[in-house]
């Protein structure tokens, strides 16, 4: 606006110069006619000096304006260069949504290089670039929402280019207002995040593959224990040359447990609620002790039970609870490579329910590792996937119970399982 006014300065100066000369000469002429020659000479002299002073002031002002304009133009040029070299879409619109300025990237993006875009709205520009009509219409809608909210907005906008490439932009829109609340301008900045979205998709795919790996590890861990037991009993039968009824029953029971595990995995995408029944905890503990007895003898480990009573009843799933105590007792056995004693103690509390402690006198666990126990894939063993305690905690939680582990390096570990009574 200032530039338009400045171009009329020469004409204004010419007009006032003519008026000044005409009026001053006429005044001098009147004074001379009335014999005021001395006053006329003074006015004539003053007119010349006043003309020089005013001209000097005007020239000074024009030079200052010229320098200010030159500096402003330089800054505008620098800003324009910066905007045009930005790898982002930048667009300035007025309060009515008409494009004032955009960078070269934006013009190339919307195929508007040969279009006089200034003063046109998104809808009007859609007529010049039909492929982007839908994208321009969406921009109009998001502009309207930003104006209504009266604050900067940020969202992702995606559209397809003419060559078929799909682009996604992280778009920030900043509305500007006059002091009286009228719309002044809208600044839009859009950063191309298409590569980032592709990378995110690759990470999602990688994450899915990782989940498959974790699931495979979980399957291996779940099935390994019953397979090891079956192998041990088969070897025992092979060695003795005859099939003990108890050994056969144990093998069949472990096969049933494998079948249950596989069945769970088959319905993993549609979990089903298991039917919990009332069970004596002593029966489950005794089953587990019988199951690991051969391995315990081989490693010179004694397993003793205390306070176990057939009247101590819980409500739960038998196979899952077997898995819990197999994991805990086997962990205790592995903590005593030189042999020793494992104590399994039962107790019943009217408030908490059935309390089972599995205590060993092994190597114990360091405070740093104790904090991580139960985290998926954390293990301090040379072999193993670190899923045993994770599965154990999950089963106990499903039974509305909780697990507490206390340990001290060199003084063994005590795992306490608290399950609600029937």
């Amino acid at each position: 606006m200032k530039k338009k006014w400045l171009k009329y300065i020469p004409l204004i100066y010419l007009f006032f110069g003519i008026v000044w000369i005409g009026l001053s000469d006429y005044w001098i002429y009147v004074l001379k006619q009335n014999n005021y020659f001395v006053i006329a000479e003074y006015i004539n002299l003053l007119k010349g000096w006043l003309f020089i002073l005013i001209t000097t002031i005007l020239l000074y002002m024009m030079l200052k304006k010229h320098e200010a304009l030159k500096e402003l133009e330089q800054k505008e040029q620098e800003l324009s260069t910066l905007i045009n070299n930005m790898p982002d879409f930048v667009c300035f619109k007025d309060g009515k949504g008409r494009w004032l300025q955009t960078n070269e990237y934006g013009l190339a993006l919307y195929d508007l290089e040969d279009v006089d875009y200034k003063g046109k709205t998104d809808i009007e520009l859609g007529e010049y670039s039909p492929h982007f009509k839908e994208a321009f219409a969406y921009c109009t809608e998001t502009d309207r929402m930003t104006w209504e909210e009266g604050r900067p907005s940020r969202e992702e906008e995606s559209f397809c280019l003419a060559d078929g490439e799909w682009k996604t932009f992280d778009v920030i829109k900043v509305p500007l207002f006059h002091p009286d609340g009228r719309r002044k301008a809208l600044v839009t900045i859009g950063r191309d995040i298409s590569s980032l979205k592709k990378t995110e998709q690759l990470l999602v795919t990688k994450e899915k593959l990782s989940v498959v790996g974790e699931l495979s590890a979980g399957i291996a861990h779940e099935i390994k224990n019953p397979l090891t037991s079956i192998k041990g009993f088969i070897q025992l039968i092979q060695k003795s040359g005859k099939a003990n009824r108890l050994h056969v029953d144990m093998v069949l029971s472990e096969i049933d447990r494998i079948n249950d595990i596989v069945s769970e995995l088959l319905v993993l995408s549609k979990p089903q609620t298991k039917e919990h029944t009332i069970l004596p905890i002593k029966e489950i503990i005794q089953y587990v002790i019988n199951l690991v007895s051969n391995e315990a003898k081989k490693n010179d480990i004694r397993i003793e039970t205390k306070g176990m009573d057939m009247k101590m009843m819980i409500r739960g799933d038998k196979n899952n609870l077997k898995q819990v105590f197999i994991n805990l007792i086997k962990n205790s056995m592995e903590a005593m490579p030189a042999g020793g004693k494992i104590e399994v103690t039962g107790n019943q509390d009217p408030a908490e329910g059935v309390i089972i402690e599995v205590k060993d006198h092994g190597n114990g666990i360091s405070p740093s590792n104790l904090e991580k126990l139960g985290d998926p894939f954390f293990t301090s063993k040379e072999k193993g996937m670190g899923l045993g305690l994770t599965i154990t905690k999950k089963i106990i939680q499903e039974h509305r119970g909780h697990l507490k582990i206390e340990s001290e390096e060199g003084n063994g570990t005590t795992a306490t399982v608290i399950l609600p009574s029937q």
Side-chain angles (χ1 to χ4, degrees), residues 48 70 83 107 118 158 161 177 212 232 234 261 268 275 358:
K70 191 174 181 181
I83 292 173
L107 294 175
K118 292 184 179 180
S158 301
L161 301 184
F177 297 90
V212 171
I234 294 296
I261 293 168
L268 190 60
E275 183 180 350
V358 180

Side-chain angles (χ1 to χ4, degrees), residues 383-399:
K383 295 182 179 179
M385 296 299 295
L387 288 172
L389 273 178
T390 305
I391 294 167
T392 298
K393 288 177 70 175
K394 182 176 182 295
I395 293 172
I396 293 172
Q397 287 170 0
E398 288 174 350
H399 283 74

Side-chain angles (χ1 to χ4, degrees), residues 25-44:
D25 285 350
Y26 176 74
W27 191 15
I28 293 170
Y29 172 77
V30 171
L31 289 171
K32 285 182 177 180
Q33 289 295 318
N34 291 282
N35 298 317
Y36 293 107
F37 294 102
V38 176
I39 296 175
E41 287 298 325
Y42 276 116
I43 292 176
N44 192 38

Side-chain angles (χ1 to χ4, degrees), residues 239-256:
K239 186 176 180 180
S240 63
K242 58 182 180 179
N244 183 295
R245 173 68 179 235
L246 176 62
H247 293 167
V248 172
D249 288 343
M250 297 290 277
V251 169
L252 291 173
S253 177
E254 290 300 279
I255 290 173
D256 287 338

Side-chain angles (χ1 to χ4, degrees), residues 171-184:
V171 181
I172 298 174
K173 297 188 176 186
V174 182
L176 304 175
F177 297 90
H178 289 286
D180 60 2
R182 291 181 297 112
R183 297 177 181 180
K184 183 177 182 181

Side-chain angles (χ1 to χ4, degrees), residues 283-392:
E283 183 181 304
I284 294 170
I285 298 296
Q286 195 58 54
Y287 175 89
V288 174
I289 292 173
N290 291 338
L291 186 66
V292 300
S293 59
N294 288 328
E295 188 178 350
K297 289 177 183 177
K298 190 188 299 182
N299 291 284
D300 195 24
I301 294 172
R302 302 188 321 276
I303 302 175
E304 296 181 359
T305 60
K306 296 179 182 179
M308 304 301 298
D309 191 332
M310 286 298 291
K311 293 181 180 179
M312 295 167 59
M313 309 295 286
I314 58 171
R315 182 180 292 275
D317 179 78
K318 182 185 290 185
N319 284 329
N320 277 352
L321 291 172
K322 285 178 183 177
Q323 185 68 46
V324 165
F325 291 103
I326 287 172
N327 287 342
L328 294 178
I329 291 175
K330 284 206 168 191
N331 282 346
S332 294
M333 291 170 62
E334 290 171 0
M336 298 190 297
K341 181 174 69 172
I342 296 174
E343 299 171 13
V344 182
T345 305
N347 189 20
Q348 188 153 13
D349 184 274
E352 292 189 291
V354 175
I355 303 170
I356 306 296
E357 287 186 356
V358 180
K359 183 178 181 180
D360 65 60
H361 301 276
N363 300 325
I365 305 167
S366 67
S368 59
N369 285 346
L370 192 60
E371 294 177 0
K372 301 175 186 176
L373 284 182
D375 292 349
F377 301 102
F378 169 76
T379 179
S380 57
K381 306 172 188 176
E382 292 183 4
K383 295 182 179 179
M385 296 299 295
L387 288 172
L389 273 178
T390 305
I391 294 167
T392 298

Side-chain angles (χ1 to χ4, degrees), residues 101-229:
Q101 186 177 359
T102 191
N103 60 349
E104 293 175 0
Y105 178 86
L107 294 175
L109 179 68
Y110 289 107
D111 293 338
L112 296 173
E113 294 101 322
D114 301 323
V115 176
D116 182 14
Y117 67 88
K118 292 184 179 180
K120 294 181 175 61
T121 63
D122 289 330
I123 300 300
E124 290 171 338
L125 290 173
E127 299 300 321
Y128 291 90
S129 189
H131 179 79
F132 296 99
K133 263 189 175 183
E134 188 175 338
F136 279 126
Y138 183 75
C139 285
T140 302
E141 179 63 20
T142 54
D143 286 356
R144 182 188 63 77
M145 293 171 63
T146 302
W147 281 120
E148 289 179 356
E149 290 177 5
R151 55 186 176 84
S153 65
R154 183 173 186 173
E155 65 174 26
E156 291 182 7
E157 295 184 10
S158 301
F159 55 87
C160 185
L161 301 184
D163 60 4
E165 183 183 1
W166 192 261
K167 286 282 188 182
T168 301
F169 287 84
D170 180 17
V171 181
I172 298 174
K173 297 188 176 186
V174 182
L176 304 175
F177 297 90
H178 289 286
D180 60 2
R182 291 181 297 112
R183 297 177 181 180
K184 183 177 182 181
L186 183 71
V187 182
T188 302
I189 301 174
R191 171 153 293 185
D192 185 357
I193 57 170
S194 305
S195 298
L196 179 61
K197 299 300 285 185
K198 289 178 182 177
T199 303
E200 287 178 355
Q201 188 60 44
L202 289 174
L203 287 174
V204 169
T205 303
K206 187 177 179 180
E207 183 73 19
K208 289 179 180 178
L209 292 174
S210 176
V211 170
V212 171
E214 291 178 13
L215 180 61
S216 300
I219 295 169
H221 186 278
E222 287 283 326
I223 295 179
K224 182 180 178 182
N225 284 335
L227 284 178
T228 302
S229 300

